[in-house]
C-alpha cells in the first residue's frame, strides 16, 4: 500500500516570530490529503487545503531563516514501503518493547546544488508498535544548519500505523543562498522516544 500526502502551501507576505508545524492526517490508499509546510521571509502562515472528510483544519508552518530566507519548502510526500509484519521481522521486534522508531537512512538529493536549485530532504524510517494497526503520532523534523547556525526547521506531524515509510520534503533554495555545506539533522519523534540521523548538501 502506498500513501501519498501532498502539501499545498499558501505564501504570506509578512514575517512571524515563531515557527510551527503542519498536521497531516492518516492517509488512505490512493488518496491525496492536504497539508502544508513551508517558509518565506522567515516564516509562513498558510491555509491548508484538504480533501473531503479530512481532519486537517490549518496550521502555522515551519520557517526558514538566515541563509535560506526567501526559500520555500514545498510538497511533502510519504510512501509506505513495508508492512508492519515485514518491519517487525526485520528488527526482531517484540510487543513488550512498546512503540519503537528507527531511522534507516536519510539523504539530500542532489548532494551538490547551486543557489536557486531544489534539494529533496528524504528519510526512510521504521515504526513498530504493540498494536500494529493503531496509528502512531509522529513528528518528522529537519534542522538545517550552515556554519552551526540554524537556518531552517521544517516540521510535519503525521499519523502512521506500524510499518516502514519513506518521506520527502523539497526545499527550493533562494537565488542568493549562501555557498557552503548545509548539515541536515532529521529527527523522527513519538511520545515514547526519538531517533535522529544527519546528512548534508553543498551549495556551490
Amino acid at each position: 500500500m502506498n500513501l501519498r500526502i501532498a502539501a499545498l502551501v499558501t505564501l504570506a507576505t509578512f514575517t512571524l516570530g515563531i515557527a510551527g508545524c503542519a498536521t497531516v492526517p492518516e492517509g488512505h490508499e490512493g488518496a491525496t490529503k492536504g497539508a502544508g509546510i513551508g517558509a518565506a521571509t522567515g516564516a509562513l502562515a498558510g491555509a491548508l487545503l484538504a480533501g473531503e472528510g479530512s481532519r486537517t483544519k490549518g496550521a502555522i508552518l515551519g520557517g526558514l531563516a538566515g541563509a535560506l530566507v526567501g526559500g520555500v519548502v514545498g510538497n511533502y510526500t510519504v510512501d509506505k514501503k513495508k508492512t508492519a509484519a515485514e518491519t517487525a521481522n526485520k528488527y526482531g521486534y517484540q510487543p513488550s518493547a512498546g512503540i519503537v522508531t528507527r531511522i534507516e537512512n536519510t539523504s539530500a538529493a542532489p548532494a551538490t546544488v547551486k543557489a536557486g536549485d531544489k534539494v529533496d530532504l528524504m528519510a526512510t524510517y521504521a515504526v513498530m508498535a504493540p498494536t500494529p494497526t493503531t496509528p502512531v503520532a509522529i513528528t518528522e523534523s529537519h534542522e538545517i544548519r550552515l556554519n552551526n547556525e540554524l537556518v531552517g526547521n521544517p516540521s510535519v506531524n503525521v499519523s502512521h500505523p506500524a510499518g516502514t515509510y519513506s518521506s520527502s520534503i523539497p526545499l527550493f533554495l533562494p537565488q542568493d543562498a549562501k555557498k557552503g555545506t548545509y548539515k541536515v539533522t532529521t529527527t523522527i519523534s513519538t511520545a515514547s522516544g526519538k531517533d535522529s540521523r544527519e546528512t548534508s548538501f553543498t551549495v556551490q
Side-chain angles (χ1 to χ4, degrees):
M1 180 179 71
N2 289 330
L3 303 178
R4 300 293 297 180
I5 302 175
L8 299 177
V9 177
T10 302
L11 293 178
T13 58
F14 52 86
T15 301
L16 300 178
I18 57 174
C21 54
T23 300
V24 180
E26 180 185 357
H28 301 281
E29 184 173 5
T32 299
K33 296 290 186 181
I37 51 175
T41 60
L44 171 67
L48 303 189
L49 307 180
E52 183 178 356
S54 171
R55 293 170 291 173
T56 301
K57 301 298 182 183
I60 295 175
L61 309 177
L64 301 178
L68 295 180
V69 166
V72 174
V73 181
N75 298 334
Y76 167 87
T77 60
V78 59
D79 295 313
K80 189 171 186 178
K81 296 299 185 181
K82 292 182 180 178
T83 66
E86 291 170 334
T87 302
N89 183 63
K90 176 178 179 177
Y91 288 92
Y93 172 75
Q94 297 297 324
S96 58
I99 296 173
V100 176
T101 57
R102 291 287 184 271
I103 295 179
E104 295 187 352
N105 62 72
T106 61
S107 62
T112 302
V113 294
K114 295 180 180 179
D117 287 350
K118 176 175 72 76
V119 179
D120 290 310
L121 307 180
M122 298 178 288
T124 299
Y125 58 92
V127 181
M128 293 158 277
T131 308
T133 58
T134 300
V136 176
I138 299 165
T139 298
E140 298 182 31
S141 61
H142 302 264
E143 287 193 351
I144 308 167
R145 295 180 182 271
L146 176 64
N147 299 325
N148 293 323
E149 178 185 355
L150 182 66
V151 296
N153 59 343
S155 179
V156 60
N157 292 332
V158 293
S159 183
H160 297 319
T164 300
Y165 298 85
S166 290
S167 67
S168 178
I169 296 176
L171 173 62
F172 296 87
L173 302 175
Q175 293 293 334
D176 60 351
K178 293 181 181 179
K179 295 181 179 180
T181 298
Y182 291 72
K183 294 184 178 180
V184 183
T185 302
T186 298
T187 301
I188 305 299
S189 305
T190 69
S192 301
K194 62 183 180 180
D195 193 16
S196 298
R197 186 170 293 195
E198 187 176 283
T199 188
S200 66
F201 64 90
T202 300
V203 177
Q204 293 186 335

